[in-house]
Amino acid sequence: MSELLRVENLTKKFGELTAVDNCSFSVEEGSITALIGPNGSGKTTVFNLITGYLPSDSGKVEFSGSSTHGEGPGNLYRKGLTRTFQQARVFADLTVQENLIVARGGTLRSFFGRRISIDDRSRAAELLEEFKLSHVADLYASELSWGQRKLLEFASVLMSKPRLVLLDEPTAGVNPILIETMATHIRSYNEAGVTFLIVEHDMSFVMRVCNPVIVLDRGKTIATGDPETVQSDPRVLDAYLGD
Amino acid sequence: MKNATQSGASAFFTRIGLLRGGLFVAALIAMPEIFRAHWIWNLLFFTVLYAAMSSSWNLIGGFAGYPSLGHAAFFGIGAYAVAFFFKNTEILTNGWAPFFSLPLIGIGCALLALPIGWLAMRTRADVFAIVTITLLFVAQTLGYNLKGLTGGAQGAGVSRAPFNLDIFEQPFYFVAAALLLLAMGITYFVIRTKLGMALTAIRADEDKAKGVGVPTTGVKLLAFSVSVAITGMAGAVWAYYIGFIYPQFAFDPLITIAIVLMTFLGGRATLWGPVLGAAILMPAQQLLAYYVGGSQIYLIAYAAIFLIIMLLLPRGILPTLLGKRRLAALSQGARS
Amino acid sequence: MHTLIQGLILGVLTGGVYALMASGQTLIFGVMKVVNLAQGAFVIASAYLAFTLFTKFGIDPLLAVVITTPVMFGIGVVGHWIFLRPLRREDAVELSILVTFALALLIEGILSVTYHTTYRSINTSYANKAFDVGGFAISAVRVYGFIVSCVLLLLLYVVLQKTRFGRAIRATVQNPQSATLLGVDSNRVKAYGFGLGIATAAASGSIFGLLFPFNSGSHYDLISRLLSVVVLGGLGSIGGAVLAGVIIGVVSSVAAVSWSPTWSEMTFFIVLLLVLLVRPQGMFGRVERGNL
């Protein structure tokens, strides 16, 4: 199994605050890897650095063997690296269906085509069906419940058939049934070959779904391994319970 | 709730859309015939001209959410361009010649807009607003100072249009109407293609849009340069109509204010919104001018209306009346 | 060479005034993430106020600062309450720009109806006096203006660094979410922060009125310059705004004496474009990336 994503000595400071501190880890292709750590350990910042939303101060990120230095989120999206946000960002002024279609990621020329082509509709319909969002397809994204938004955001980043999906707290604020649904989707896409890196706080979710688990504390990687081992690692316990 | 996943693609034309469009064009053509008076033709000319400019501003300011506060700069550039090519020292044999120069002026403005737009849109919408406001001021300064090109404060004259004085305003009106139809046609195209979705996504959440692979820079530049092109052409038509232009009127902030207000009043990011806004505001402005006079009152009136709209009716008249759902259906080409 | 140094001196003195005006603008941006396009209009309004106080009551404009500053602070807070607070969160940024733009026009309209469009200037007794320092003629008003600007900037610094209010503002600028968690009332901070920004406009208005002739339409020119200064300094950075104010003051002054006054007016725009080309976040701005 090869490394799909490799993070080496990544550092990012915000003024005096060092959010990410010489952080290193890697993600195996075909895995569902978890990225956990107490609040403020820099997980979302790491996501922002990997996906090109923030420039790093030093260190490097390699996706599928090549460096992502200087690449913006759009380019990385086209190369197969996508992400969701903690706040479940969707386009409020577009319908659910359009949210999916706009995320297909084409060239500028492709945007001169019909607003919704037959192909668009069928591709979106697949995902809508799968995520049980068909009945709200014509609603504006702003009219959705929180759980539906999270599903929509998840679905939309799958439109471009990515290789690596970064999920930022996919289960936050979501009811247990929906959590199970998410887990099912993640597993089934993983079986189809999509790699996942998931930031999570819900430990039972992590235990059930993810392997391996990477633990961050204060911007550094402090442990890596399978869920059981990591859970009983004293350094990890210390990070969560300490100060 | 009807089944959303209809089969078939979204339509480019619907029967009712074509009917509406046809009626509108017919009305545009018929208006000068029905209302035969010089002051009405003058009013129609300005209403249609501003409707065209508002519709085109709508592309970048309404759909994309990048409020260009310096559109008047390109209006002035178009005006001075036509004054430059058709100086009032020359006699025109063909009165339509200046109109034929419009496409050239439009393309020129569009090309000029590209580097400026690229720089201005690099970071955020508010930086864009900053650059465009500054641009207007700079354009006005240049208008005063590049005396060789513009005649400076003395102004510049345009060749006199050799049209029959009885119907003098009409050719200008029809050209302005053509510009309006062009602007609306482009807007319609944008709405019916993915470009509309892209622009809306950019306005809703640009970072997210980048993140899902929307070619944001290209789309924004396109919207900006097209918008600017039409505004420049409008300026050219205006200059030809007026016959003599001065920097403070060609590069007048009131122009920007008027088109922004018209767009927001009628409903930004809609097809008919800016037209509605112009149809309301232009006659109102003429009325105000007639009874009160003095452009300072305009300013207070415009600013006050602007603030009221922003605070109370930010989506404008049309979306408030129609409601979001119906607008969405219209944009997807539903057979409503 | 002589003219060059003269230009340099003039540039620094004028730059100080720009620094004061721009600091208020960038403060407002830092606290509210809103570009206040009405900043120039408030400066002009304040200049008119100082003008009236001078012509009607004989109060020196620099002393009038003591009166105009609290008044404008109050107007700023109220203005924020009426016009900026009600904006729905999603459209807030986009609409805020337009609202402040409309505010600027409203102020311009009111001023031109009240004072008409004739150019005014505040002609104090020392308006034409000049100091002779080592062969260079330095206008008295510019020196006084510069001194007052420095004093006020120092005051601003003290308020921001040493008072609880100032700390709350700085916390909000750096990280709004954490600031709220720490108990800072974000609405209060925004309102008072805006007021503070407008208060600096008040102070600068008096100085502006002394230095330059103005009318109701002058705010366009002014806001264009201020925006360039703020972008160069980095949106949200007060230190940056101060430094940028002096830099641009010097550059445009040197341009005026070396080339022509016309091109000097363009320097602001050219600097703006250069900054966007080379380093869009300005000297001290952070690379903003929306809500991450």
Side-chain angles (χ1 to χ4, degrees):
Chain A
M1 280 271 117
S2 59
E3 278 177 355
L4 187 53
L5 180 73
R6 185 190 173 80
V7 170
E8 247 179 59
N9 296 321
L10 205 55
T11 306
K12 180 66 182 176
K13 289 194 172 72
F14 293 114
E16 282 144 38
L17 176 70
T18 307
V20 180
D21 189 2
N22 259 307
C23 182
S24 300
F25 61 85
S26 63
V27 177
E28 295 269 317
E29 180 152 22
S31 66
I32 304 177
T33 306
L35 188 64
I36 68 174
N39 272 322
S41 47
K43 309 186 292 287
T44 298
T45 312
V46 166
F47 264 26
N48 290 333
L49 291 169
I50 295 174
T51 51
Y53 277 96
L54 278 180
S56 60
D57 294 333
S58 64
K60 71 175 176 172
V61 176
E62 269 179 20
F63 175 61
S64 189
S66 44
S67 165
T68 64
H69 190 263
E71 301 254 39
N75 274 341
L76 292 172
Y77 185 82
R78 281 182 269 272
K79 291 196 179 154
L81 172 59
T82 76
R83 70 164 299 178
T84 63
F85 292 84
Q86 253 176 333
Q87 313 96 315
R89 286 163 84 158
V90 292
F91 301 116
D93 293 327
L94 290 178
T95 65
V96 168
Q97 193 179 58
E98 290 174 336
N99 260 271
L100 293 176
I101 294 171
V102 83
R104 289 194 81 176
T107 60
L108 184 58
R109 279 197 88 214
S110 70
F111 277 79
F112 279 83
R114 271 175 201 283
R115 195 177 175 104
I116 301 177
S117 70
I118 298 183
D119 187 48
D120 288 328
R121 228 188 263 280
S122 62
R123 176 85 185 108
E126 271 171 40
L127 279 170
L128 287 170
E129 203 41 61
E130 224 184 285
F131 283 79
K132 306 261 185 305
L133 290 172
S134 305
H135 61 294
V136 293
D138 276 344
L139 287 188
Y140 278 97
S142 53
E143 300 174 281
L144 295 182
S145 68
W146 173 257
Q148 287 171 322
R149 271 200 219 201
K150 287 213 107 95
L151 281 177
L152 175 59
E153 201 198 13
F154 189 5
S156 69
V157 301
L158 294 169
M159 276 297 275
S160 61
K161 302 200 206 274
R163 294 179 62 194
L164 173 61
V165 178
L166 272 53
L167 295 174
D168 200 341
E169 300 198 28
T171 67
V174 164
N175 69 64
I177 300 175
L178 208 49
I179 295 181
E180 241 352 272
T181 311
M182 293 260 192
T184 313
H185 287 313
I186 294 173
R187 284 199 198 94
S188 68
Y189 270 93
N190 182 245
E191 263 154 53
V194 180
T195 311
F196 286 90
L197 177 63
I198 308 179
V199 162
E200 250 312 328
H201 279 299
D202 180 345
M203 280 310 137
S204 67
F205 179 85
V206 169
M207 300 291 281
R208 280 194 320 245
V209 179
C210 310
N211 191 354
V213 175
I214 303 169
V215 187
L216 247 54
D217 184 33
R218 282 187 259 234
K220 280 179 135 57
T221 312
I222 59 171
T224 314
D226 63 86
E228 287 80 24
T229 318
V230 161
Q231 203 187 31
S232 42
D233 186 323
R235 290 170 298 174
V236 174
L237 292 169
D238 205 36
Y240 272 95
L241 297 171
D243 73 8
Chain B
M1 195 75 243
K2 66 174 186 290
N3 182 359
T5 45
Q6 310 162 1
S7 57
S10 62
F12 264 132
F13 297 109
T14 58
R15 265 171 307 193
I16 218 179
L18 281 173
L19 190 64
R20 265 195 290 257
L23 279 175
F24 184 63
V25 174
L28 278 180
I29 297 178
M31 289 281 240
E33 281 304 305
I34 302 174
F35 304 102
R36 304 190 67 89
H38 284 288
W39 71 272
I40 294 187
W41 289 334
N42 182 58
L43 177 63
L44 283 174
F45 168 71
F46 277 103
T47 307
V48 167
L49 192 70
Y50 270 81
M53 290 198 283
S54 304
S55 289
S56 71
W57 187 89
N58 194 19
L59 289 171
I60 186 72
F63 283 97
Y66 273 71
S68 162
L69 295 176
H71 252 48
F74 294 97
F75 181 82
I77 290 175
Y80 275 103
V82 105
F84 186 72
F85 290 130
F86 300 95
K87 293 195 177 23
N88 64 345
T89 47
E90 299 158 21
I91 312 280
L92 274 180
T93 40
N94 179 4
W96 289 82
F99 294 135
F100 293 142
S101 74
L102 284 181
L104 200 67
I105 294 179
I107 294 176
C109 285
L111 290 176
L112 189 62
L114 286 176
I116 297 176
W118 181 78
L119 268 180
M121 296 197 271
R122 262 184 114 193
T123 43
R124 298 190 304 274
D126 33 19
V127 176
F128 177 71
I130 291 177
V131 175
T132 54
I133 263 197
T134 315
L135 182 66
L136 175 58
F137 174 67
V138 166
Q140 199 181 60
T141 308
L142 285 177
Y144 276 114
N145 288 306
L146 292 180
K147 296 201 177 68
L149 257 134
T150 64
Q154 321 289 52
V158 185
S159 321
R160 224 183 140 285
F163 299 132
N164 184 342
L165 281 175
D166 286 341
I167 53 150
F168 186 76
E169 293 88 350
Q170 287 197 10
F172 295 99
Y173 167 78
F174 285 116
V175 172
L179 273 182
L180 173 60
L181 291 173
L182 176 64
M184 291 181 77
I186 293 176
T187 308
Y188 188 79
F189 179 76
V190 162
I191 293 177
R192 287 284 197 254
T193 60
K194 290 204 176 52
L195 289 172
M197 278 203 297
L199 287 170
T200 306
I202 290 172
R203 189 182 78 233
D205 191 340
E206 182 163 1
D207 276 334
K208 172 82 181 168
K210 281 190 212 165
V212 293
V214 174
T216 54
T217 310
V219 167
K220 285 188 295 188
L221 278 177
L222 204 60
F224 186 56
S225 48
V226 166
S227 170
V228 154
I230 296 179
T231 309
M233 291 195 273
V237 175
W238 171 80
Y240 189 28
Y241 180 68
I242 295 272
F244 207 93
I245 58 180
Y246 298 93
Q248 66 265 37
F249 298 120
F251 297 109
D252 189 354
L254 270 173
I255 299 173
T256 306
I257 297 157
I259 61 185
V260 174
L261 183 54
M262 286 174 192
T263 307
F264 271 87
L265 179 64
R268 55 143 162 138
T270 63
L271 177 61
W272 295 94
V275 181
L276 179 62
I280 295 177
L281 227 54
M282 234 341 141
Q285 182 187 313
Q286 295 280 41
L287 223 71
L288 203 65
Y290 186 69
Y291 282 112
V292 180
S295 70
Q296 308 315 321
I297 301 287
Y298 284 159
L299 206 47
I300 299 184
Y302 273 10
I305 299 176
F306 208 156
L307 284 167
I308 294 174
I309 297 287
M310 287 296 136
L311 295 171
L312 297 178
L313 203 68
R315 290 193 335 212
I317 296 177
L318 222 50
T320 312
L321 283 181
L322 289 182
K324 263 179 140 180
R325 207 63 56 77
R326 206 167 120 67
L327 272 183
L330 286 174
S331 70
Q332 282 185 32
R335 280 138 184 78
S336 58
Chain C
M1 193 59 196
H2 186 273
T3 38
L4 200 63
I5 300 188
Q6 180 92 41
L8 210 76
I9 298 174
L10 190 64
V12 171
L13 294 178
T14 323
V17 185
Y18 282 125
L20 180 63
M21 293 190 275
S23 65
Q25 173 124 48
T26 212
L27 173 66
I28 291 178
F29 182 82
V31 173
M32 301 175 57
K33 300 289 180 281
V34 165
V35 176
N36 179 24
L37 294 177
Q39 191 80 6
F42 278 109
V43 172
I44 302 291
S46 179
Y48 270 110
L49 197 57
F51 173 78
T52 308
L53 286 173
F54 179 69
T55 49
K56 280 241 158 62
F57 303 109
I59 305 178
D60 181 274
L62 294 176
L63 293 174
V65 168
V66 177
I67 302 175
T68 55
T69 307
V71 168
M72 292 299 252
F73 177 81
I75 292 180
V77 173
V78 170
H80 172 266
W81 185 269
I82 299 178
F83 297 111
L84 290 171
R85 228 180 57 117
L87 293 176
R88 266 178 30 230
R89 294 270 281 304
E90 295 123 50
D91 308 47
V93 171
E94 189 197 338
L95 290 185
S96 303
I97 305 173
L98 294 171
V99 166
T100 58
F101 185 57
L103 256 178
L105 301 171
L106 188 64
I107 295 175
E108 181 188 342
I110 295 176
L111 286 175
S112 65
V113 166
T114 317
Y115 291 98
H116 309 292
T117 51
T118 40
Y119 275 90
R120 316 274 180 173
S121 57
I122 307 180
N123 284 316
T124 55
S125 55
Y126 50 86
N128 293 317
K129 204 166 97 172
F131 299 121
D132 189 325
V133 179
F136 297 107
I138 307 178
S139 131
V141 283
R142 294 208 186 235
V143 173
Y144 296 149
F146 180 74
I147 294 175
V148 175
S149 302
C150 289
V151 169
L152 290 167
L153 278 169
L154 205 64
L155 232 107
L156 186 65
Y157 178 77
V158 166
V159 166
L160 287 175
Q161 294 288 121
K162 306 286 184 202
T163 66
R164 227 183 51 184
F165 172 50
R167 275 199 290 274
I169 289 187
R170 282 186 299 128
T172 308
V173 171
Q174 278 217 4
N175 196 332
Q177 280 103 329
S178 319
T180 329
L181 287 173
L182 292 170
V184 171
D185 179 345
S186 105
N187 276 321
R188 273 264 195 82
V189 168
K190 285 186 182 168
Y192 292 145
F194 189 76
L196 192 58
I198 302 300
T200 63
S204 2
S206 293
I207 305 172
F208 188 83
L210 264 178
L211 294 180
F212 308 109
F214 57 92
N215 77 350
S216 51
S218 303
H219 72 102
Y220 269 109
D221 180 342
L222 187 56
I223 194 69
S224 309
R225 291 165 196 257
L226 286 183
L227 292 172
S228 306
V229 170
V230 165
V231 170
L232 172 60
L235 282 162
S237 161
I238 295 181
V242 172
L243 188 56
V246 176
I247 292 178
I248 291 193
V250 168
V251 170
S252 74
S253 181
V254 168
V257 299
S258 309
W259 292 312
S260 80
T262 313
W263 288 113
S264 132
E265 284 171 38
M266 301 281 286
T267 29
F268 290 89
F269 190 56
I270 296 174
V271 169
L272 179 64
L273 291 180
L274 279 175
V275 171
L276 289 175
L277 185 64
V278 170
R279 194 181 150 90
Q281 68 266 35
M283 293 190 295
F284 300 106
R286 296 187 300 173
V287 179
E288 289 273 343
R289 282 286 186 192
N291 308 335
L292 286 175

